[in-house]
Amino acid sequence: MSTLDDDLANLATEASNPRYAELDRMSVAEIAAAMNEADATVPGAVSRALPQIVPAIEAASERMSRGGRLVYVGAGTPGRIAVVDASECPPTFSTPPELVFAIMAGGASAIVTPTEGAEDDADAGSAAIDEAGIGPLDTVIGIASSGRTPYVIAAIERARALGALTVGLSCNVDTALSAAAEFPIEVAVGPEVLTGSTRLKAGTAQKLVLNMFSTIVMVQQGKTYGSFMVDLKPTNHKLRDRAVRMVAEIAGVPRDEAEATLEGNDYDVKTSVLVLARGLSQAEAEARLAVAGGRLRPAMEGA
């Protein structure tokens, strides 16, 4: 067996748990309870990794405030989780698609069609970073449950050589990905219910961490007001209704007044809030937001 195979055999995420040795003999109810029990341990693992997570988010936020991007790199399940998280940023925060995006080993087709061999192509990982034009203001987060995926490690090494902020997110300890990244994050979830199936606890842990990254970075960029996503794009009935409720609550006005104001301001939540809460015209509200860098809080508190 090769050294690489030896490394895999020693990973906690590849180990079998005797607790599930009779999985195929268990009832549906027993398996569901076992999985639920296992999943309940994931938030604790993420909590233990917060001392690694917090400084990485702080550093990423600072770079984005200077014009940088947030870029995820992954293969297989981690890559698909990254695509899901990145794709939610434009509708939630009105960000351009190129501000937060994911690089998937095997390309876009690998999102729906498994291309498992792509994760072993280190040269492709490095080339993908060059193709994305990664630079010193960018943050690149490599995601690999094992922490030893060649495509992801090569991408992180290339991004770091180009001066980007690099983060390595894995679900094992003392990994090669951690060694390659400036900010290692290791969320040790242990063996899976289904041995080696890291789409389970490891995948859940990765989604929780990426939720933190994209959300907190956007909060730090002024994309929210309190807990309200005031930069959302109200492109359907549900989102328009959410916009109405936000404006009504923040500005302290009846729903019909909030809705009428939104309709008169191209459904821009922040402009509508300022019009109602501060008695401004649309032009005055837009000007105040411009001075505040698009942030509603200082625009509301300004003279």
Side-chain angles (χ1 to χ4, degrees):
M1 192 163 61
S2 69
T3 301
L4 195 59
D5 290 334
D6 288 334
D7 289 344
L8 279 169
N10 292 324
L11 295 176
T13 51
E14 292 293 323
S16 62
N17 188 332
R19 164 85 170 78
Y20 313 117
E22 301 291 319
L23 191 71
D24 59 330
R25 295 174 181 261
M26 294 164 66
S27 69
V28 170
E30 288 170 333
I31 296 173
M35 292 186 70
N36 182 245
E37 179 186 77
D39 289 341
T41 68
V42 176
V46 174
S47 178
R48 291 188 290 276
L50 285 176
Q52 297 176 321
I53 296 169
V54 170
I57 295 176
E58 290 173 338
S61 297
E62 191 278 329
R63 295 220 182 182
M64 184 173 283
S65 71
R66 292 190 284 125
R69 299 171 295 172
L70 181 60
V71 183
Y72 300 143
V73 181
T77 295
R80 295 183 188 100
I81 290 169
V83 169
V84 168
D85 193 79
S87 66
E88 290 292 341
C89 287
T92 305
F93 303 110
S94 291
T95 56
E98 63 272 14
L99 185 66
V100 182
F101 64 94
I103 296 172
M104 178 79 178
S109 63
I111 296 170
V112 294
T113 304
T115 313
E116 303 302 339
E119 71 174 50
D120 294 330
D121 192 341
D123 289 341
S126 180
I129 293 298
D130 288 335
E131 290 167 10
I134 297 300
L137 292 179
D138 296 325
T139 297
V140 180
I141 303 178
I143 311 150
S145 302
S146 66
R148 42 75 57 207
T149 304
Y151 182 98
V152 177
I153 292 172
I156 288 297
E157 289 175 340
R158 180 56 179 159
R160 192 168 184 177
L162 292 169
L165 179 78
T166 53
V167 180
L169 172 57
S170 62
C171 293
N172 287 288
V173 298
D174 299 324
T175 69
L177 179 57
S178 292
E182 182 180 353
F183 287 87
I185 297 173
E186 297 177 336
V187 186
V189 297
E192 300 284 3
V193 171
L194 195 63
T195 301
S197 184
T198 51
R199 67 186 179 86
L200 301 178
K201 289 192 298 180
T204 300
Q206 291 154 13
K207 185 65 174 77
L208 291 177
V209 174
L210 296 190
N211 282 350
M212 289 183 183
F213 255 93
S214 56
T215 302
I216 298 172
V217 166
M218 291 303 160
V219 171
Q220 295 296 300
Q221 305 309 306
K223 293 289 186 178
T224 61
Y225 182 85
S227 64
F228 292 113
M229 53 177 87
V230 291
D231 264 346
L232 93 166
K233 289 183 176 179
T235 53
N236 60 31
H237 176 76
K238 179 187 72 175
L239 296 179
R240 286 191 293 273
D241 183 73
R242 184 179 296 163
V244 170
R245 286 184 280 111
M246 276 196 290
V247 171
E249 185 166 342
I250 297 171
V253 300
R255 177 188 172 91
D256 58 351
E257 189 175 349
E259 187 168 15
T261 303
L262 277 162
E263 289 174 353
N265 289 282
D266 300 320
Y267 262 84
D268 185 284
V269 171
K270 292 185 292 189
T271 299
S272 298
V273 167
L274 286 170
V275 167
L276 289 167
R278 292 292 177 262
L280 305 176
S281 67
Q282 180 178 352
E284 290 169 336
E286 291 172 348
R288 184 176 287 200
L289 279 168
V291 170
R295 296 170 180 256
L296 183 55
R297 178 75 66 182
M300 286 280 279
E301 295 175 351

